PDB file of all heavy atoms in Angstrom:
ATOM      1  N   GLY A 317      -3.785  77.773  55.038  1.00  0.00           N
ATOM      2  CA  GLY A 317      -2.759  78.167  54.109  1.00  0.00           C
ATOM      3  C   GLY A 317      -2.815  79.636  53.679  1.00  0.00           C
ATOM      4  O   GLY A 317      -2.113  80.140  52.833  1.00  0.00           O
ATOM      5  N   MET A 318      -3.867  80.338  54.137  1.00  0.00           N
ATOM      6  CA  MET A 318      -3.932  81.780  53.856  1.00  0.00           C
ATOM      7  C   MET A 318      -2.736  82.469  54.489  1.00  0.00           C
ATOM      8  O   MET A 318      -2.367  82.256  55.650  1.00  0.00           O
ATOM      9  CB  MET A 318      -5.205  82.296  54.534  1.00  0.00           C
ATOM     10  CG  MET A 318      -5.866  83.357  53.713  1.00  0.00           C
ATOM     11  SD  MET A 318      -7.519  83.835  54.594  1.00  0.00           S
ATOM     12  CE  MET A 318      -8.690  83.363  53.407  1.00  0.00           C
ATOM     13  N   PRO A 319      -2.139  83.415  53.700  1.00  0.00           N
ATOM     14  CA  PRO A 319      -0.936  84.112  54.341  1.00  0.00           C
ATOM     15  C   PRO A 319      -1.359  84.963  55.549  1.00  0.00           C
ATOM     16  O   PRO A 319      -2.452  85.484  55.517  1.00  0.00           O
ATOM     17  CB  PRO A 319      -0.427  85.024  53.146  1.00  0.00           C
ATOM     18  CG  PRO A 319      -1.568  85.072  52.227  1.00  0.00           C
ATOM     19  CD  PRO A 319      -2.468  83.843  52.391  1.00  0.00           C
ATOM     20  N   PRO A 320      -0.421  85.068  56.440  1.00  0.00           N
ATOM     21  CA  PRO A 320      -0.702  85.837  57.691  1.00  0.00           C
ATOM     22  C   PRO A 320      -1.271  87.330  57.381  1.00  0.00           C
ATOM     23  O   PRO A 320      -2.036  87.790  58.095  1.00  0.00           O
ATOM     24  CB  PRO A 320       0.600  85.856  58.457  1.00  0.00           C
ATOM     25  CG  PRO A 320       1.326  84.678  58.024  1.00  0.00           C
ATOM     26  CD  PRO A 320       0.905  84.502  56.654  1.00  0.00           C
ATOM     27  N   SER A 321      -0.661  87.829  56.336  1.00  0.00           N
ATOM     28  CA  SER A 321      -1.102  89.258  56.070  1.00  0.00           C
ATOM     29  C   SER A 321      -2.592  89.317  55.717  1.00  0.00           C
ATOM     30  O   SER A 321      -3.277  90.245  56.127  1.00  0.00           O
ATOM     31  CB  SER A 321      -0.293  89.735  54.847  1.00  0.00           C
ATOM     32  OG  SER A 321      -0.527  88.993  53.688  1.00  0.00           O
ATOM     33  N   GLU A 322      -3.075  88.290  55.027  1.00  0.00           N
ATOM     34  CA  GLU A 322      -4.422  88.231  54.681  1.00  0.00           C
ATOM     35  C   GLU A 322      -5.364  87.999  55.944  1.00  0.00           C
ATOM     36  O   GLU A 322      -6.346  88.598  56.061  1.00  0.00           O
ATOM     37  CB  GLU A 322      -4.696  87.155  53.595  1.00  0.00           C
ATOM     38  CG  GLU A 322      -5.979  87.365  52.803  1.00  0.00           C
ATOM     39  CD  GLU A 322      -6.167  86.278  51.701  1.00  0.00           C
ATOM     40  OE1 GLU A 322      -5.126  85.834  51.250  1.00  0.00           O
ATOM     41  OE2 GLU A 322      -7.301  86.072  51.301  1.00  0.00           O
ATOM     42  N   LEU A 323      -4.851  87.024  56.734  1.00  0.00           N
ATOM     43  CA  LEU A 323      -5.604  86.806  57.983  1.00  0.00           C
ATOM     44  C   LEU A 323      -5.615  88.033  58.856  1.00  0.00           C
ATOM     45  O   LEU A 323      -6.624  88.339  59.443  1.00  0.00           O
ATOM     46  CB  LEU A 323      -4.868  85.667  58.806  1.00  0.00           C
ATOM     47  CG  LEU A 323      -4.839  84.219  58.157  1.00  0.00           C
ATOM     48  CD1 LEU A 323      -3.930  83.385  58.912  1.00  0.00           C
ATOM     49  CD2 LEU A 323      -6.264  83.698  58.042  1.00  0.00           C
ATOM     50  N   GLY A 324      -4.473  88.714  58.908  1.00  0.00           N
ATOM     51  CA  GLY A 324      -4.398  89.937  59.672  1.00  0.00           C
ATOM     52  C   GLY A 324      -5.352  90.998  59.227  1.00  0.00           C
ATOM     53  O   GLY A 324      -6.081  91.668  59.935  1.00  0.00           O
ATOM     54  N   ALA A 325      -5.563  91.059  57.866  1.00  0.00           N
ATOM     55  CA  ALA A 325      -6.517  92.044  57.273  1.00  0.00           C
ATOM     56  C   ALA A 325      -7.883  91.689  57.636  1.00  0.00           C
ATOM     57  O   ALA A 325      -8.761  92.606  58.005  1.00  0.00           O
ATOM     58  CB  ALA A 325      -6.308  92.106  55.803  1.00  0.00           C
ATOM     59  N   ILE A 326      -8.270  90.434  57.596  1.00  0.00           N
ATOM     60  CA  ILE A 326      -9.618  89.981  57.996  1.00  0.00           C
ATOM     61  C   ILE A 326      -9.921  90.309  59.455  1.00  0.00           C
ATOM     62  O   ILE A 326     -10.962  90.860  59.741  1.00  0.00           O
ATOM     63  CB  ILE A 326      -9.744  88.469  57.754  1.00  0.00           C
ATOM     64  CG1 ILE A 326      -9.785  88.111  56.247  1.00  0.00           C
ATOM     65  CG2 ILE A 326     -11.086  87.943  58.372  1.00  0.00           C
ATOM     66  CD1 ILE A 326      -9.661  86.699  55.926  1.00  0.00           C
ATOM     67  N   ALA A 327      -8.957  90.109  60.324  1.00  0.00           N
ATOM     68  CA  ALA A 327      -9.155  90.342  61.690  1.00  0.00           C
ATOM     69  C   ALA A 327      -9.236  91.845  62.041  1.00  0.00           C
ATOM     70  O   ALA A 327     -10.084  92.313  62.797  1.00  0.00           O
ATOM     71  CB  ALA A 327      -8.027  89.673  62.568  1.00  0.00           C
ATOM     72  N   GLU A 328      -8.318  92.588  61.392  1.00  0.00           N
ATOM     73  CA  GLU A 328      -8.307  94.076  61.526  1.00  0.00           C
ATOM     74  C   GLU A 328      -9.580  94.705  61.101  1.00  0.00           C
ATOM     75  O   GLU A 328     -10.089  95.685  61.749  1.00  0.00           O
ATOM     76  CB  GLU A 328      -7.207  94.671  60.628  1.00  0.00           C
ATOM     77  CG  GLU A 328      -5.839  94.577  61.268  1.00  0.00           C
ATOM     78  CD  GLU A 328      -5.783  95.369  62.643  1.00  0.00           C
ATOM     79  OE1 GLU A 328      -6.191  96.541  62.559  1.00  0.00           O
ATOM     80  OE2 GLU A 328      -5.256  94.815  63.606  1.00  0.00           O
ATOM     81  N   LYS A 329     -10.185  94.215  60.032  1.00  0.00           N
ATOM     82  CA  LYS A 329     -11.381  94.901  59.392  1.00  0.00           C
ATOM     83  C   LYS A 329     -12.634  94.771  60.318  1.00  0.00           C
ATOM     84  O   LYS A 329     -13.511  95.554  60.135  1.00  0.00           O
ATOM     85  CB  LYS A 329     -11.646  94.166  58.081  1.00  0.00           C
ATOM     86  CG  LYS A 329     -12.344  94.997  56.983  1.00  0.00           C
ATOM     87  CD  LYS A 329     -12.414  94.259  55.667  1.00  0.00           C
ATOM     88  CE  LYS A 329     -13.150  93.009  55.711  1.00  0.00           C
ATOM     89  NZ  LYS A 329     -13.086  92.181  54.502  1.00  0.00           N
ATOM     90  N   PHE A 330     -12.555  93.748  61.165  1.00  0.00           N
ATOM     91  CA  PHE A 330     -13.761  93.525  61.973  1.00  0.00           C
ATOM     92  C   PHE A 330     -13.919  94.508  63.062  1.00  0.00           C
ATOM     93  O   PHE A 330     -13.004  94.893  63.714  1.00  0.00           O
ATOM     94  CB  PHE A 330     -13.604  92.138  62.726  1.00  0.00           C
ATOM     95  CG  PHE A 330     -14.814  91.791  63.552  1.00  0.00           C
ATOM     96  CD1 PHE A 330     -15.983  91.301  62.904  1.00  0.00           C
ATOM     97  CD2 PHE A 330     -14.799  91.990  64.879  1.00  0.00           C
ATOM     98  CE1 PHE A 330     -17.078  91.030  63.703  1.00  0.00           C
ATOM     99  CE2 PHE A 330     -15.873  91.670  65.704  1.00  0.00           C
ATOM    100  CZ  PHE A 330     -17.034  91.221  65.106  1.00  0.00           C
ATOM    101  N   ASN A 331     -15.140  95.071  63.217  1.00  0.00           N
ATOM    102  CA  ASN A 331     -15.464  96.111  64.184  1.00  0.00           C
ATOM    103  C   ASN A 331     -16.517  95.542  65.067  1.00  0.00           C
ATOM    104  O   ASN A 331     -17.665  95.416  64.650  1.00  0.00           O
ATOM    105  CB  ASN A 331     -15.934  97.362  63.418  1.00  0.00           C
ATOM    106  CG  ASN A 331     -16.235  98.480  64.438  1.00  0.00           C
ATOM    107  OD1 ASN A 331     -16.880  98.302  65.476  1.00  0.00           O
ATOM    108  ND2 ASN A 331     -15.965  99.701  64.034  1.00  0.00           N
ATOM    109  N   ASN A 332     -16.187  95.270  66.323  1.00  0.00           N
ATOM    110  CA  ASN A 332     -17.169  94.657  67.264  1.00  0.00           C
ATOM    111  C   ASN A 332     -18.428  95.472  67.520  1.00  0.00           C
ATOM    112  O   ASN A 332     -19.528  94.984  67.527  1.00  0.00           O
ATOM    113  CB  ASN A 332     -16.510  94.186  68.570  1.00  0.00           C
ATOM    114  CG  ASN A 332     -17.217  93.080  69.218  1.00  0.00           C
ATOM    115  OD1 ASN A 332     -17.551  92.108  68.559  1.00  0.00           O
ATOM    116  ND2 ASN A 332     -17.476  93.133  70.483  1.00  0.00           N
ATOM    117  N   ASP A 333     -18.255  96.807  67.800  1.00  0.00           N
ATOM    118  CA  ASP A 333     -19.372  97.659  68.074  1.00  0.00           C
ATOM    119  C   ASP A 333     -20.379  97.633  66.838  1.00  0.00           C
ATOM    120  O   ASP A 333     -21.599  97.568  67.043  1.00  0.00           O
ATOM    121  CB  ASP A 333     -19.016  99.118  68.324  1.00  0.00           C
ATOM    122  CG  ASP A 333     -18.265  99.267  69.623  1.00  0.00           C
ATOM    123  OD1 ASP A 333     -18.423  98.246  70.488  1.00  0.00           O
ATOM    124  OD2 ASP A 333     -17.603 100.280  69.888  1.00  0.00           O
ATOM    125  N   MET A 334     -19.812  97.633  65.680  1.00  0.00           N
ATOM    126  CA  MET A 334     -20.665  97.600  64.490  1.00  0.00           C
ATOM    127  C   MET A 334     -21.450  96.208  64.387  1.00  0.00           C
ATOM    128  O   MET A 334     -22.607  96.164  64.089  1.00  0.00           O
ATOM    129  CB  MET A 334     -19.821  97.802  63.224  1.00  0.00           C
ATOM    130  CG  MET A 334     -20.720  98.128  62.016  1.00  0.00           C
ATOM    131  SD  MET A 334     -19.747  98.235  60.493  1.00  0.00           S
ATOM    132  CE  MET A 334     -18.853  99.756  60.844  1.00  0.00           C
ATOM    133  N   ALA A 335     -20.711  95.102  64.685  1.00  0.00           N
ATOM    134  CA  ALA A 335     -21.334  93.840  64.693  1.00  0.00           C
ATOM    135  C   ALA A 335     -22.516  93.744  65.637  1.00  0.00           C
ATOM    136  O   ALA A 335     -23.528  93.235  65.334  1.00  0.00           O
ATOM    137  CB  ALA A 335     -20.287  92.791  64.922  1.00  0.00           C
ATOM    138  N   LEU A 336     -22.301  94.298  66.904  1.00  0.00           N
ATOM    139  CA  LEU A 336     -23.432  94.316  67.888  1.00  0.00           C
ATOM    140  C   LEU A 336     -24.576  95.149  67.453  1.00  0.00           C
ATOM    141  O   LEU A 336     -25.664  94.710  67.604  1.00  0.00           O
ATOM    142  CB  LEU A 336     -22.850  94.753  69.233  1.00  0.00           C
ATOM    143  CG  LEU A 336     -21.704  93.934  69.869  1.00  0.00           C
ATOM    144  CD1 LEU A 336     -21.354  94.548  71.260  1.00  0.00           C
ATOM    145  CD2 LEU A 336     -22.134  92.484  70.096  1.00  0.00           C
ATOM    146  N   ALA A 337     -24.262  96.270  66.838  1.00  0.00           N
ATOM    147  CA  ALA A 337     -25.335  97.094  66.356  1.00  0.00           C
ATOM    148  C   ALA A 337     -26.111  96.398  65.227  1.00  0.00           C
ATOM    149  O   ALA A 337     -27.326  96.466  65.188  1.00  0.00           O
ATOM    150  CB  ALA A 337     -24.760  98.424  65.820  1.00  0.00           C
ATOM    151  N   GLN A 338     -25.409  95.674  64.384  1.00  0.00           N
ATOM    152  CA  GLN A 338     -26.069  94.930  63.314  1.00  0.00           C
ATOM    153  C   GLN A 338     -26.931  93.844  63.843  1.00  0.00           C
ATOM    154  O   GLN A 338     -28.036  93.582  63.244  1.00  0.00           O
ATOM    155  CB  GLN A 338     -24.976  94.381  62.306  1.00  0.00           C
ATOM    156  CG  GLN A 338     -24.330  95.421  61.360  1.00  0.00           C
ATOM    157  CD  GLN A 338     -23.054  95.010  60.686  1.00  0.00           C
ATOM    158  OE1 GLN A 338     -22.462  94.068  61.091  1.00  0.00           O
ATOM    159  NE2 GLN A 338     -22.691  95.724  59.731  1.00  0.00           N
TER     160      GLN A 338
END
Side-chain angles (χ1 to χ4, degrees):
Chain A
M318 212 179 247
S321 60
E322 202 176 334
L323 294 172
I326 290 169
E328 276 300 309
K329 210 173 56 187
F330 180 80
N331 179 322
N332 204 48
D333 287 346
M334 194 185 290
L336 297 181
Q338 284 164 341

